Each structure stands twice: as C-alpha cells, then as structure tokens.
C-alpha cells in the first residue's frame, strides 16, 4: 500500500438503525467469561441469554420485514462461556461451558424448532472451557482452551489431535491465523504465544504482552505475520498493540485508548483492515484502519527503534528485517450507542449489503436488544458494485479436512466475489454431524425419553440443567414467563410437561406511599462489614449505624414516619465501630450490638423510643479475642445469642447469666454466615474455606457434618428452608457469578441438590426466607433488583417469580415480621429499603380477584415468633420447645376456601340462529335499522323546532 495514498475507507461512517430495526424482546446474560457473548453466521445469531447454560437464537435476516422470533437453545448444565459458528457450515454451532464440555449443534433452517440434542459432545476436559474457535481452512477442526491447555479437536472423530500445554496461567484468548498454519494465544501470565500445532505442542515464540493481567485479546491480521492485541497497561489504561512475529521481541506500536475498566472486545476485518473496539459495559465504539500490509495507527506512542531478538546459543543467525513503517493513518470514526455493550460480533462479509456500500456490520448486544451497526463508505452512485471496496473474500467451501490438515495439507480456501450477480449460491453441509439422525430426532412422533433429556438434550430436564455435582436445578430461569423469549410450540408443550409453576409467579412489589417513608436520614454508615445486613428492624423500630465516630446508632420509630429534623437525633453511643446488630425477637426493646472491640453490648430502648442519648449498655459480653463477624438470637428460646468471630470460634451466650455457655470449634478461615434451624436444635455455618458445617451445639463443639460450599471466597450467606429440612446457600462461583445452592440438611456431604446461577455482581446475595409461603427473596447491597423464587422440596426445587426492581441502588434491604403485612391487600411480605437518605417500606402482594375474602391458601397459620417456647437455661439443659401458631385472618373476613361457588354463566345460542339463511332484503333491513338506532329516532323533532320566535312589534 502506498503510504501517501489516501485510504478509501477514511470517510467510513457508522450508521445506527432506528429502533424498529433493532432485534428486541431479549434478555442478555451477565456472563463473566473471555468470549464475545454474541456470534453470527450468514443464517443465525447466537447470544448468551440470562439463564445459565442457555443461548438465545435469532435469524440474521428477517423475511418480508416481519418480526424476528427469538428462540432459546438449552446447551449445557452450567454457564456457556464461549461459542463459535463454523466458517463453512452456517448451521453448525460449537458451544463451550463451565461444565467442562464442548458441544456441537446443527441449527435448523428458519421456521423450524431448535434441536433437542447436541450432535456430539467433546470432553469433559480438565476444567471449564474458556475459549474456542473453528479452524479457518479445514472443516471439522476446533481449538478449545480450558485452564492452561489448548486442545485441537478432530470434531468428526471426537478425538483430540494435540494439546498445547506451554501456558503458565489461565488462557484469555486464542486465534487462528487465516491461512490455518499458526495459532496465537494470550494468557493471564501476561504473555503472548505463537504455536505451530502440527510441528510441536510447545510455543514457537512467546513475548511479554500487556503489563496487566486483566482480560486481554489477540487477533491475527488476516494471513499476514502481524497481530493485534488488546489489554491493559500497568496503569490500568486500555491499550492496543500491534506485533510482527518476524520481530516479536517488542510491539511495533502501542496505542493508549482510555482508563475505562471494561475489557475491550476487538473485531478485525482483514479484507478492509478495519478494527472495531468496544468496551464491556460502555456505549462507545472505536473504529481504526490497520491494513495488514502496513499495520499502523496514529494515536498513542510508538517504538521507532529497531527491535533485535536476543542471541540464543546454537541458533541460526536471524535475517536483518527492515523497521516497520511509521504510522500514517488516522482513526476512522467513533460511534456512541444508546445501550451499554454486553457483547459484540461481526456479520460475515457474504451477508453484507454491498449495494449500499456497507463494508462492515457489527452486532451490539445490550441488556434488552441486538443493535446492528453498519459501517458505510459514502459514494455518489449506490446502483453500481464498487470493486475497490469489496475485494474477493473467503468462500464457504473448506480447503481440506481435519485428517488431511493434520497430515500437512495447507491448501487455502477459495475466494469468491461479493458481486450479487457473481456470488456463489451453493452451500456446504459439514459431515461431522449426520443430518438424518438429527432430523429424525426432531420430527419423530414420540416425545423424547427421560434418557434423551438427560443425555445432552437441548430442552433439558431439571436434572440435566444442574451443575456437574448436583442433581437438579430450575428450568424456570430459562423458560419462565419473564425470560423474554418467544417459545416455540415444542417448548410450550415441554413447559406443560415439566411444570409446576409457582403460585407466586405474578408477585408484585411496590414502594408504599411517601407518607410512610422516613426521610432526611443523615450521616448513615454505608461501610458496614459484608457479614452485616447494614441495619436491622423489628415491627416497632429500626436501628441504623451512623458514620460518626464511637459507633453511634440511630433508633427510629416506624410509627412516626416523615422527615427527620435537621438537628441531631438521640442515638446509642456504642463506644466501638459496629460490626453487626440484631433485635431480640422476644423483647422489642432489647438490641444486641457486636463491636469491632470484641465485645457484645446489650442495650435497652425505653418504651416509645429514644428521647436522649444512651451511653451505658445494660450488659457487656466478653470472651472473643478478635473482631466479631455476626450475631443471631435463638428463634425459640429466650436469652440465647450466638456470635462468630475472627478468632475462628462460634460462641453461644446465656444472656440471663451474662456469660458464655458454649463454644464451637472447627473453622479454619473467616466465617461468612451462621443460621439457627427453625426448631433451634442445630446451627449451620458457611466460611471462606469453602465449607458448610452443621453443629448440634448441645451435643458436641465439633461439626456433625461438613460439605463443600460455594467456590468463590468473596462472601456467602445461608438460611434454612422447607421446614428446616434443607439449607439454601448464596455465594459465588470461581468466575464471580452469584448463585444459590440447595442442600439436604440430613445429607450435606452428598453435595448440593440444585445450583442456580443468577447474575454477575460484586455484592453478596442476602437471602430472606418466608416460611409460610416458601418464597426466598435475594438481593445485595448496592443492587437494584430483588430476586424471588419459591423453594420446593422436590424437583425442580426453584420456581421463578417476578422480581422487584427499584430505580436506584439500595444500601440495605431488611424484611419485617409477618404480622405487619396487610392481608386485605393480599400482602405476604414487607421489607424496608434503605436508600441514600430515605427508608422506604416495600410491600409484596399477590394479585387476586376476590380480595374481599381472606386468602387462606397464602396465609396458613403463622408461628407466634414473639413468644418464646422455653427459657434459655431450659434449652441449655437439653429441653426443646415448639412455638404455637395463630391465624392472620381478621374477624370480619371469610376464608376464600369457604366462599360460595359461583357457577359460570353460559350463554346458549340455538344452532338455528347460525343455520338460518337470510335473504338480501332482510340483511339490508337489519343494517338500516342498526344505522338508524345509532343516529337516533327519525320522528324526533329537530332542535330548531323547539326555538321560540319573537313578536312582530319587536322587529321595529
């Protein structure tokens, strides 16, 4: 390329479509992986859906301008981390997952149902699959990266050809050179490597890449010896580097983009030399031109010195290569979109609108839509085909097969014209999957058997959607009413088979009227430890830690809503920073506060609330030697409190005696959470060492059972569900995805019965379980969404309900006792939402038609939580008690189960009405009568007829 010749792409402009051209009605997933999250062939678009293990599938083009139908493909039992379409067979899709397997699918023609079985499965391997990519010249060759290894597969034989093991840390990307001879990788060890897989499993070249080990990507610039890498510098700047493998000791060029934290997704088109970059979570698309023959960008810094490789003893002398040409091309354009980027994909060149001078089209995946962004070169004539803009591109017929390529065949894919009149029409069908077998599976009259559903079924049964170590999970996350997909007929029939659905699936959450809010909250402490809920409340008052020194706590009465005065309010002077706090369920005036000074202070609030500052606690509990994590009152016995601490102990206190009664051991790391069983006999804990422990405190100080818990060490919570027979644990996986796990309390070592991934967010999910309805509420500090699931003791275990979303993040979300619910409005839960300066009640209710009746199916007799079943000393002596239950039904309401049954009114129309033949005259008469009836009676006087005249003499 002549460096002084103007580029024909310098005036390229990005054109955003109108909203009507967006592909809407989707719910994209928040997947933390190295993939692009969306890919396209000439026929289909695939993207990560909200539910774990599910891909959304939508046609690339829509016939006759109709609306696209978004289908879903249930691929894996865990998160789909990456996927890729074959460059030859436009219906062949490979998917990789955290379940350590790679599956290959043949998608149908348009208008048909998605496949119910994977064509074949590769693996499982030695870890979660991170990245994968089809070979650019040979059919049936696939490279997949898992952990520190790259495996080259012969897909047809379902056998690996070789494994590349030179990496010292986890892979972040891999890329085939367009001629298919070499493979490049980027790794978390900050190195870039070049492999010749057919020559050696070790890297032929490696070089330090980007100085930061955050997500990096590597791309080949077509068939040239040049590469592009995208990553972060040591100062956390996003940067683009250009490399020449003939001088691989240093980058030819480094371009600093910005300091945004989102990983950049690069797309490179070798035929035009256009490079598009988009950051995850951002709405800005960069476009540069970097032709393979002269890779150069004008922004940023450049190494102009000649790069010399270090001398290696015994190596052949290296040829002297000319220095790279200096950069001389400017960035092409920037485009700001409406939505934030979740993923990015390039449409194949054979699918471009060449007559509109569309040289590139990218698909931006947002939370709720796929937005096609076209890059056009303005030309005066749009009726002619412009050969200079559209050189011949690679066709869809493979140059060779897997075994021939492995034996050394390096033939190249034939190039085809993009001219509409000369464009080839033949299609290629890869033989790696037998079409007849899949068609027979999809068109058979009999439904799939249980064995079919558990062996790679696309519409998986609950057991097949579970994680590798689990037995079942919820299908509702992928096929529920809020999933955002239009289900195909087969999916609808499957939903009716797999049922059940939750009674609370239509739950509505709403913030109550402003008159019930507490506003003008000042000086709130928003930095409480992760083990603390942030504040606590009972049916009378709320305790809010303040930011001021000395561990001050504000006590606000819920019966006195409104704006707080600008002056200081009476507080509790705790004397030490607050680690956790909890109200006594049997004494609404007693508040227990755990401080960072290893002490637990018990405060007695006067009847009616604080009127002056409290400085002296009623009692102080001493015993822990390190900072305290959390405290919990016993649910059945009075005067019993449990606490956990950095000293790795769990201590049970008898408050009436003011001393420690029991001490539990066995933890080896930070204790994230602890929870009493509903009957108060057992205590469960989850800790940073990834273990669940179950204690019977009165029998042994050592755990009775242990089991592996959440993988991630960022935080976890647990709560007893289903009458105390099961444990629900919220936490993170190794990829920082938030998930919930369900265990059988009597068989913890057997592992979780079900694992359900929710989303990717930094805060720990705080679970609240309503024992009367079986609904669990999950949200985190700083979240705007509250997840709702009904938990059942049988598969599918988790039934999805409508979630609650607020406009701004909440600093805390605490639920109130059941007795505060307004049963006349079918309200079954109420919470307090803590904002930046407000405390708002949020009511959750179920829409019902006959609200005048008491909904006894939603309100079973509830536990009298405010009365202890026995005293603390009796419980410590080995006695157990059970609290009585009471009905929430008001005296003037009739249970809906006793409401009179109303027979549905049916209108009977004799068949003779429909069978009677009417003449044309009768039809005209009926039509005329109907028109007259609408206009009014013709015999009625006109309005002017009623006007009264004037006398003759009045005219003079």
């Amino acid at each position: 390329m002549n460096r002084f010749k103007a580029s024909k792409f310098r005036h390229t402009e990005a054109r955003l479509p109108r909203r009507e051209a967006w592909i809407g009605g989707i719910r994209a997933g928040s997947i933390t992986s190295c993939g692009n999250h969306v890919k396209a062939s000439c026929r289909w678009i695939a993207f990560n859906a909200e539910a774990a293990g599910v891909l959304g599938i939508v046609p690339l083009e829509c016939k006759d301008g109709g609306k696209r139908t978004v289908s879903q493909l249930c691929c894996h039992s865990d998160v789909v981390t990456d996927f890729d379409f074959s460059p030859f067979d436009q219906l062949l899709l490979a998917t990789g997952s955290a379940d350590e397997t790679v599956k290959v699918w043949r998608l149908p023609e348009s208008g048909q149902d998605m496949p119910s079985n994977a064509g074949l499965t590769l693996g499982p391997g030695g870890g979660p699959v991170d990245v994968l990519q089809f070979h650019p010249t040979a059919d049936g060759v696939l490279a997949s990266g898992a952990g520190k290894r790259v495996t080259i597969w012969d897909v047809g034989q379902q056998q690996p050809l070789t494994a590349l093991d030179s990496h010292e840390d986890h892979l972040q990307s891999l890329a085939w050179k367009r001629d298919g001879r070499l493979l490049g990788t980027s790794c978390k060890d900050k190195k870039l490597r070049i492999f010749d897989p057919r020559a050696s499993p070790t890297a032929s070249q490696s070089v330090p890449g980007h100085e930061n080990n955050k997500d990096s990507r590597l791309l080949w610039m077509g068939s040239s010896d040049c590469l592009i890498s995208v990553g972060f510098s040591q100062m956390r700047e996003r940067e683009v580097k250009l490399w020449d493998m003939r001088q691989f000791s240093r980058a030819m060029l480094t371009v600093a983009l910005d300091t945004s934290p989102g990983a950049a997704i690069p797309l490179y088109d070798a035929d035009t030399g256009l490079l598009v970059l988009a950051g995850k979570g951002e709405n800005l698309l960069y476009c540069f031109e970097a032709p393979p023959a002269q890779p150069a960008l004008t922004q940023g810094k450049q190494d102009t010195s000649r790069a010399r490789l270090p001398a290696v003893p015994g190596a052949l002398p290296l040829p002297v290569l000319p220095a790279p040409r200096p950069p001389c091309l400017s960035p092409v354009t920037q485009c700001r979109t409406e939505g934030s980027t979740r993923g990015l994909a390039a449409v194949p060149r054979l699918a471009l609108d060449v007559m509109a001078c569309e040289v590139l089209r990218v698909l931006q995946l947002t939370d709720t839509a796929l937005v096609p962004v076209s890059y056009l070169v303005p030309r005066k004539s749009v009726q002619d085909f412009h050969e200079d803009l559209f050189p011949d591109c690679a066709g869809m017929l493979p140059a060779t097969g897997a075994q021939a390529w492995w034996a050394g065949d390096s033939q190249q894919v034939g190039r085809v014209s993009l001219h509409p009149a000369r464009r080839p029409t033949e299609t290629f069908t890869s033989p790696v999957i037998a079409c007849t077998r899949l068609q027979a599976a999809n068109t058979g009259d009999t439904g799939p058997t249980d064995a079919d559903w558990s062996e790679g079924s696309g519409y998986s049964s609950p057991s097949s959607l579970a994680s590798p170590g689990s037995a079942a999970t919820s299908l509702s996350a992928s096929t529920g009413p809020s999933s955002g997909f239009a289900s195909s007929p087969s999916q609808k029939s499957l939903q009716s088979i797999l049922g059940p659905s939750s009674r609370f699936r239509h739950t509505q959450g709403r913030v109550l009227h402003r008159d019930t809010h507490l506003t003008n909250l000042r000086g709130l402490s928003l930095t409480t430890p992760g083990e603390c809920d942030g504040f606590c409340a009972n049916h009378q008052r709320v305790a809010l830690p303040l930011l001021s020194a000395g561990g001050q706590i504000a006590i606000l009465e819920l019966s006195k809503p409104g704006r707080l005065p600008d002056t200081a309010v009476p507080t509790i002077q705790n004397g030490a920073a607050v680690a956790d706090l909890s109200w006594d369920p049997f004494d609404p005036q007693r508040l227990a506060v755990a401080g960072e000074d290893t002490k637990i202070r018990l405060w007695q609030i006067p009847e009616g609330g604080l009127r002056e500052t409290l400085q002296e606690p009623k009692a102080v509990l001493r015993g822990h030697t390190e900072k305290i994590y959390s405290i919990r009152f016993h649910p059945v016995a009075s005067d019993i409190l449990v606490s956990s601490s950095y000293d790795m102990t769990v201590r049970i206190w008898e408050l009436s005696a003011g001393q420690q009664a029991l001490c539990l051991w066995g933890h080896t790391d930070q204790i994230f959470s602890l929870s009493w069983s509903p009957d108060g006999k057992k205590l469960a804990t989850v800790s940073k060492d990834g273990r669940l422990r179950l204690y019977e405190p009165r029998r042994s100080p050592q755990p009775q059972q242990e089991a592996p818990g959440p993988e991630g060490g960022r935080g976890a919570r647990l709560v007893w569900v289903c009458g105390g027979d099961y444990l629900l644990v919220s936490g993170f996986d190794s990829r920082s995805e938030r998930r919930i796990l369900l265990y059988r309390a009597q068989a913890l070592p057997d592992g979780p019965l079900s694992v359900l991934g929710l989303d990717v967010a930094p805060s720990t999910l705080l679970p609240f379980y309503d024992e009367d309805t079986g609904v669990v509420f999950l949200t985190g500090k700083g979240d705007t969404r509250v997840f709702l699931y009904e938990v059942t003791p049988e598969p599918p275990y988790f039934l999805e309900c409508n979630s609650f979303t607020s406009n701004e993040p909440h600093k805390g979300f605490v639920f109130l006792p059941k007795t505060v619910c307004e049963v006349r409005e079918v309200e079954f839960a109420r919470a307090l939402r803590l904002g930046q300066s407000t405390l708002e009640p949020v009511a959750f209710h179920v829409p019902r038609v006959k609200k005048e009746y008491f909904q006894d199916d939603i309100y079973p007799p509830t536990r009298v939580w405010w009365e202890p079943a026995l005293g603390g000393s009796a419980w410590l002596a080995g006695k157990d008690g059970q609290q009585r239950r009471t009905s929430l039904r008001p005296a003037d309401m009739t249970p809906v189960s006793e409401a009179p049954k109303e027979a549905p009114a049916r209108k009977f129309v004799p068949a003779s009405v429909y069978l009677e033949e009417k003449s044309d005259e009768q039809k005209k008469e009926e039509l005329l009568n109907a028109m007259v009836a609408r206009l009014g009676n013709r015999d009625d006087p006109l309005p002017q007829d009623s006007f009264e005249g004037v006398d003759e003499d009045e005219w003079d």
Side-chain angles (χ1 to χ4, degrees):
M1 174 181 174
N2 188 344
R3 57 176 292 194
F4 299 106
K5 184 179 179 180
S7 168
K8 54 181 172 289
F9 299 106
R10 68 187 184 279
H11 297 305
T12 299
E13 60 182 26
R15 187 167 298 175
L16 291 172
R18 293 178 298 177
R19 281 185 172 268
E20 292 78 13
W22 293 12
I23 305 174
I26 70 173
R27 297 183 67 179
S30 303
I31 308 299
T32 302
S33 68
C34 301
N36 287 9
H37 308 302
V38 58
K39 293 287 180 68
S41 70
C42 291
R43 307 288 288 278
W44 293 102
I45 303 171
F47 61 92
N48 280 110
E50 187 178 41
V54 177
L55 289 183
I57 307 292
V58 62
L60 177 65
E61 302 293 344
C62 185
K63 296 181 179 179
D64 303 327
K67 186 177 181 180
R68 294 180 177 92
T69 298
V70 183
S71 303
Q72 53 185 334
L73 182 68
C74 299
C75 305
H76 293 268
S77 61
D78 209 332
V79 175
V80 179
T81 53
D82 199 12
F83 47 95
D84 192 31
F85 282 101
S86 167
F88 312 115
D89 189 339
Q90 301 302 301
L91 304 179
L92 203 65
L93 175 67
T95 59
S97 170
D99 65 6
E100 306 183 7
T101 63
V102 175
K103 294 183 180 181
V104 183
W105 307 79
R106 183 176 298 284
L107 301 185
E109 299 289 343
S110 298
Q112 300 180 10
D113 292 341
M114 286 294 115
S116 58
N117 295 287
L120 51 89
T121 301
L122 308 176
V129 178
D130 297 305
V131 290
L132 53 82
Q133 188 178 30
F134 275 104
H135 195 276
T137 65
D139 178 48
V141 177
L142 179 69
S144 66
K148 303 178 182 179
R149 169 180 293 187
V150 176
T151 304
I152 311 296
W153 296 91
D154 181 344
V155 178
Q157 300 295 325
Q158 302 185 40
Q159 295 293 330
L161 296 172
T162 186
L164 314 178
D165 291 321
S166 299
H167 304 91
E168 299 174 2
D169 209 330
H170 284 274
L171 281 162
Q172 292 177 329
S173 72
L174 59 83
W176 287 104
K177 191 176 180 181
R178 192 161 73 171
D179 61 14
R181 293 183 172 91
L182 301 178
L183 180 74
T185 64
S186 66
C187 184
K188 202 172 181 180
D189 62 6
K190 309 177 189 177
K191 290 186 178 181
L192 307 178
R193 293 175 174 85
I194 305 297
F195 293 86
D196 185 348
R198 296 178 292 186
S200 172
T202 59
S204 58
Q205 296 187 65
S206 67
V207 65
H210 299 271
E211 297 175 348
N212 197 303
N213 63 359
K214 289 184 68 175
D215 192 9
S216 64
R217 305 291 181 92
L218 184 67
L219 297 174
W220 286 90
M221 301 179 70
S223 298
S224 71
D225 292 325
C226 301
L227 302 96
I228 299 174
S229 67
V230 180
F232 291 84
S233 68
Q234 190 174 11
M235 302 303 295
R236 299 185 179 180
E237 286 183 318
R238 288 195 303 195
E239 58 184 11
V240 181
K241 291 189 176 185
L242 304 183
W243 308 80
D244 191 327
M245 62 173 293
R246 297 165 297 183
Q247 294 180 334
F248 209 43
S249 60
R250 67 173 66 184
M252 297 173 58
L253 177 71
T254 300
V255 176
L257 294 179
D258 48 38
T259 56
S260 179
I265 303 175
L267 300 176
Y268 182 73
D269 181 21
D271 293 324
T272 60
L274 294 179
L275 172 67
V276 176
L277 296 171
K280 291 184 179 180
E282 302 169 17
N283 62 349
L284 184 64
L285 303 182
Y286 295 94
C287 182
F288 296 95
E289 185 181 7
Q294 183 187 349
L297 301 173
T298 56
Q299 288 188 347
K301 49 193 177 182
Q302 181 202 8
D303 292 326
T304 57
S305 60
R306 293 174 181 265
R308 296 183 181 274
L309 294 177
V312 179
L316 295 175
L318 294 172
V320 178
L321 300 175
R325 294 179 180 179
C328 60
L329 297 178
S330 300
V332 178
T333 185
Q334 292 184 5
C335 173
R336 192 170 296 276
T337 61
E338 291 188 30
S340 299
T341 300
R342 285 285 184 90
L344 202 69
V347 172
R349 289 187 63 76
L350 288 171
L352 298 178
D353 186 1
V354 295
M355 300 309 295
C357 296
E358 183 185 36
V359 295
L360 180 66
R361 189 194 310 167
V362 299
L363 297 171
Q364 182 202 28
L365 176 66
T366 66
D367 290 332
T368 58
L370 279 163
V371 183
V373 182
S374 295
Y375 288 84
L376 308 176
V377 176
R379 290 290 174 94
K380 292 182 179 179
S381 173
V382 293
Q383 298 179 353
D384 300 325
F385 177 74
H386 298 274
E387 299 277 357
D388 58 328
L389 296 180
F390 302 101
D392 292 351
C393 67
M396 292 187 181
L397 298 179
T400 185
Q403 291 300 319
W405 173 81
W406 183 245
D409 188 357
S410 297
Q411 296 184 56
Q412 297 301 298
V413 176
R415 303 185 72 79
V416 298
S417 174
L418 290 177
H419 194 290
R422 301 194 299 268
R423 186 175 300 184
T425 58
E426 69 272 12
T427 59
F428 173 78
T429 301
S430 176
V432 298
I433 297 179
C435 302
T436 55
R437 176 166 59 89
L438 285 178
Q439 290 173 359
N442 287 335
T443 59
D445 294 332
T446 59
T449 63
D450 292 341
D452 293 334
W453 288 4
S454 62
E455 294 292 334
S457 171
Y459 304 119
S460 304
S461 66
S463 60
S464 69
L465 284 176
S467 66
S470 66
T473 191
S474 172
L475 187 68
S476 62
S478 60
T479 60
S482 61
S483 62
F485 293 103
S487 300
S488 63
S490 62
Q491 287 173 301
K492 293 178 180 178
S493 62
L494 185 68
Q495 292 174 21
S496 64
I497 295 172
L498 290 183
S501 59
S502 173
R503 294 176 298 163
F504 305 94
R505 62 188 180 276
H506 300 305
T507 295
Q508 298 174 357
R510 61 182 178 89
V511 178
L512 298 185
H513 192 271
R514 187 175 177 83
D515 291 345
T516 62
H517 298 186
L518 285 164
T519 61
N520 197 33
L521 305 180
R522 296 188 173 190
L524 298 178
S525 175
L526 304 178
T527 58
T528 52
E531 294 77 23
C532 175
D533 291 345
F535 71 104
C536 67
N538 59 22
H539 62 292
Q540 293 183 0
R541 53 187 59 90
V542 60
L544 295 166
L546 301 180
L547 192 59
S548 54
Q552 295 189 35
I553 304 171
I555 306 297
L556 307 178
E557 299 295 314
L558 295 177
S559 59
K560 302 176 182 177
R563 178 183 174 88
L564 296 183
D566 294 335
T567 57
V569 296
T571 61
I572 292 176
Q573 297 283 352
N574 192 58
V578 177
D580 196 13
L581 66 172
S582 179
W583 290 104
D584 188 340
F586 310 122
D587 185 354
Q589 275 76 48
R590 181 158 66 173
L591 177 68
V593 180
E596 295 187 358
D597 59 353
T598 75
K599 300 175 184 177
I600 301 174
R601 295 171 174 83
L602 301 178
W603 301 88
Q604 194 71 26
I605 309 300
E607 190 72 32
L610 281 183
R611 296 179 179 85
E612 58 182 5
T613 299
L614 287 184
Q615 296 183 347
E616 292 296 328
K618 188 174 182 181
V620 179
L621 307 178
R622 298 178 175 87
H624 284 295
T625 59
E626 298 287 345
K627 174 185 171 181
I628 298 172
Y629 293 129
S630 53
I631 54 177
R632 296 288 184 272
F633 277 96
H634 197 280
V636 175
S638 61
D639 293 328
I640 295 294
L641 181 74
V642 64
S643 62
S644 61
S645 166
Y646 276 85
D647 59 16
M648 309 303 171
T649 65
V650 175
R651 301 173 189 254
I652 297 177
W653 308 84
E654 185 180 4
L655 303 185
S656 58
Q659 62 184 9
Q660 174 186 314
L662 300 170
C663 184
L664 309 181
W665 307 87
H667 296 91
T668 60
D669 208 334
Q670 178 182 353
I671 304 169
F672 283 142
S673 177
L674 50 80
S675 177
W676 288 104
S677 62
D679 57 10
K681 297 178 182 179
K682 299 176 181 179
L683 183 72
T685 66
V686 58
S687 60
K688 195 175 182 179
D689 58 9
R691 306 290 295 175
L692 289 176
R693 294 175 174 87
L694 189 61
Y695 292 86
E696 294 188 40
R698 295 173 295 181
R699 293 190 177 185
S700 173
Q702 296 295 328
Q704 299 297 307
Q705 295 185 64
E706 287 194 35
E711 300 175 14
R714 298 177 54 182
R717 291 294 185 96
L718 80 168
V719 65
W720 295 79
V721 298
C722 300
D725 295 331
Y726 296 83
L727 273 170
L728 185 143
V729 183
S730 66
F732 298 85
D733 66 359
S734 58
R735 297 175 178 273
S736 298
E737 181 190 26
R738 298 197 294 189
R739 53 177 50 192
I740 53 178
L741 305 89
L742 187 67
Y743 294 81
R744 182 176 287 109
Q746 298 299 325
L748 282 186
D750 293 345
L753 295 171
S754 178
V755 179
L756 181 64
L758 298 183
D759 61 0
V760 176
S763 59
T764 304
L765 285 169
L766 311 179
F768 168 78
Y769 179 72
D770 180 16
E771 60 184 24
D772 293 339
T773 60
V775 175
V776 63
F777 301 78
L778 300 133
T779 189
K781 299 177 186 176
D783 287 2
T784 58
R785 182 178 182 184
V786 181
F787 297 93
L788 280 78
Y789 289 92
E790 183 180 359
V791 186
T792 63
E794 60 275 335
Y797 298 109
F798 296 117
L799 304 178
E800 186 181 15
C801 308
N802 283 347
S803 58
F804 166 76
T805 304
S806 55
N807 294 328
E808 61 179 17
H810 41 252
K811 314 304 179 184
F813 208 89
V814 172
F815 282 81
L816 296 174
K818 190 81 169 186
T819 49
V820 304
C821 295
E822 180 55 66
V823 297
R824 298 181 187 275
E825 296 297 327
V826 201
E827 177 188 345
F828 69 96
R830 182 176 296 189
L832 293 177
R833 177 184 174 275
L834 179 62
Q836 193 72 31
S837 61
T838 61
L839 192 67
E840 306 167 348
V842 180
F844 294 89
H845 62 94
V846 179
R848 287 291 174 92
V849 176
K850 299 180 179 181
K851 294 171 63 174
E852 65 273 15
Y853 293 99
F854 176 71
Q855 310 294 320
D856 50 353
D857 59 328
I858 292 180
Y859 300 105
T862 189
R863 183 169 54 88
V864 182
W865 51 265
W866 58 91
E867 294 180 2
L870 71 167
S873 57
W875 181 84
L876 291 170
K879 296 182 179 180
D880 294 315
Q882 186 175 1
Q883 292 167 313
R884 65 183 181 89
R885 293 184 173 270
T886 185
S887 175
L888 296 177
R889 180 172 69 92
D892 59 344
M893 293 187 73
T894 302
V896 70
S897 60
E898 301 176 7
K901 305 296 182 182
E902 296 180 0
R906 299 182 60 184
K907 295 182 180 180
F908 176 75
V909 180
S912 58
V913 174
Y914 301 100
L915 297 177
E916 181 182 358
E917 292 292 338
K918 298 180 181 179
S919 65
D920 292 341
E921 293 299 328
Q922 289 176 322
K923 293 178 182 179
K924 290 180 181 180
E925 184 67 23
E926 290 180 359
L927 179 61
L928 182 61
N929 292 336
M931 294 175 62
V932 170
R934 296 186 62 183
L935 294 174
N937 193 341
R938 288 174 292 179
D939 296 332
D940 292 341
L942 296 174
Q944 56 266 35
D945 293 341
S946 61
F947 293 167
E948 297 182 359
V950 296
D951 295 335
E952 292 294 335
D953 57 355
E954 293 184 15
W955 290 102
D956 297 334

